[in-house]
Structure formats: structure tokens, C-alpha cells
């Protein structure tokens, strides 16, 4: 199965889940637009699967729905097994920003941690307004390349082998500073 074959159903399930989350809260598209600061038309097209969300857009919606991006993506997958084979790890790409996200160890009921592999293309620069869950613990281990990570107002430049750990309360930013892509492991632990 190619990446394209697995990506399309995931995106369709993601669109449907976003619509379910809004409906579960009894919100209209206008109410969600007000809460998220995203236009009603963008939200409507997103829920109908006409557009794919960017990393920043998805992060904003995750914050409104009070869940991590990994938890949202796990909700559209079937129950994850204890062993997650490489071929079964969901991969999500945001071509616009140059970000690829592999859910190495997806969220699982009863577990507070997860492992994500992130890859940023040279020059990629992604900013998030705030964490989806305030106080979420993150450990970022750079596997290849170089990245500048700003968390809670403080910038850190990391190279291969470096690890940054913190609890996130404020905004964050990931910027690939090298001439080559950066690949990192992100360990997320819910408070």
C-alpha cells in the first residue's frame, strides 16, 4: 500500500472526526470559527474533506478541542496494537509548510505518553499559538540535522544528538536552520 492510498482515507476520517467534535459540543460553524479564529468557509471545507489542514490549523483546532494532535489522529485510527509496526505508523504530511509527522507510538487508552517522528524541510518554519493541552511535557531528541525550537518564549538551537525537554504553557516554534532536513523524535507526556 502506497502513502497516497493510506493518506486519503486518513484525511477523510480526520475531516469526519473534526465535524463530530464540533457537533458533540453543540457548536455551529460560526461558533467554532469564533473560538478558533478560523474562517467559517475554511472550517466548512475542512469538515467536508475539500481541503487538507496545515499543521498550524490542526494545532489550533486541537487546542479548541483540548486534545493533542496525536490524540486526534489516534481517534481516527482503529484501536492501536501494543506493537506498532513501521508500516502501520500513520504518516501525515503538510506539504505547504514542509512538515512530515509519523506517529511512531500513537496515543493509547491508559497511557499518557506517545512518540512522534518529525521531519522539517530546509527553511521550514512552523509556529503554534499554544499547546493543545497546557503543561504538556515534551522531550525533543534531534536525530539528524539542526533545528531551532522556541518554547515558552525561549529559543534553543539543537544539533543531532541534542535533547530539549520542557513543559509547554505558551507558544512554540520549530524552524529548520540547516541546509538539510531535520529529523527529530518528540516524546509527549500528558499532564
Amino acid at each position: 500500500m502506497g502513502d497516497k492510498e493510506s493518506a486519503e482515507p486518513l484525511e477523510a476520517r480526520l475531516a469526519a472526526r473534526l465535524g463530530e467534535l464540533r457537533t458533540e459540543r453543540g457548536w455551529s460553524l460560526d461558533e467554532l470559527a469564533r473560538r478558533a479564529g478560523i474562517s467559517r468557509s475554511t472550517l466548512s471545507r475542512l469538515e467536508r474533506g475539500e481541503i487538507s489542514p496545515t499543521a498550524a490549523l490542526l494545532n489550533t483546532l486541537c487546542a479548541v478541542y483540548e486534545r493533542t494532535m496525536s490524540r486526534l489522529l489516534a481517534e481516527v485510527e482503529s484501536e492501536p496494537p501494543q506493537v506498532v509496526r513501521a508500516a502501520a505508523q500513520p504518516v501525515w504530511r503538510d506539504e505547504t509548510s514542509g512538515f512530515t509527522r509519523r506517529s511512531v507510538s500513537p496515543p493509547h487508552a491508559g497511557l499518557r505518553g506517545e512518540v512522534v517522528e518529525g521531519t522539517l524541510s530546509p527553511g521550514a518554519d512552523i509556529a503554534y499559538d499554544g499547546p493543545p493541552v497546557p503543561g504538556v511535557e515534551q522531550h525533543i531528541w534531534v536525530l539528524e540535522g539542526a533545528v531551532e525550537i522556541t518554547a515558552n518564549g525561549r529559543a534553543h538551537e539543537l544539533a543531532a544528538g541534542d535533547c530539549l525537554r520542557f513543559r509547554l504553557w505558551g507558544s512554540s516554534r520549530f524552524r529548520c536552520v540547516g541546509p538539510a532536513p531535520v529529523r527529530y523524535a518528540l516524546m509527549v507526556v500528558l499532564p
Side-chain angles (χ1 to χ4, degrees), residues 21 74 92 119 179-180:
L21 287 168
W92 179 72
T119 305

Side-chain angles (χ1 to χ4, degrees), residues 49-133:
E50 294 175 4
I51 60 170
S52 296
T54 63
L57 178 66
L58 205 52
N59 187 70
T60 298
L61 290 173
C62 285
V64 169
Y65 292 132
E66 298 178 323
R67 59 200 353 96
T68 64
M69 191 181 303
S70 293
R71 178 116 357 236
L72 175 65
L73 293 174
E75 289 171 358
V76 299
E77 288 295 314
S78 58
E79 182 65 23
Q82 287 188 333
V83 175
V84 184
R85 303 287 179 205
Q89 296 168 2
V91 176
W92 179 72
R93 290 180 177 82
D94 178 359
E95 302 294 340
T96 305
S97 65
F99 176 52
T100 301
R101 179 185 199 287
R102 175 181 297 276
S103 190
V104 177
S105 178
H108 190 278
L111 300 177
R112 293 185 332 184
E114 62 188 90
V115 179
V116 172
E117 176 191 48
T119 305
L120 292 171
S121 301
D125 190 346
I126 301 173
Y128 301 104
D129 291 335
V133 178

Side-chain angles (χ1 to χ4, degrees), residues 112 135-139 166-168 186-191:
R112 293 185 332 184
V136 68
E137 182 180 336
Q138 295 187 4
H139 300 254
F166 55 91
R167 291 187 64 147
L168 187 60
L186 167 64
M187 283 63 75
V188 177
V189 182
L190 294 175

Side-chain angles (χ1 to χ4, degrees), residues 140-154:
I140 303 167
W141 179 29
V142 179
L143 303 172
E144 299 172 12
V147 63
E148 180 186 79
I149 298 173
T150 303
N152 301 317
R154 187 166 174 206

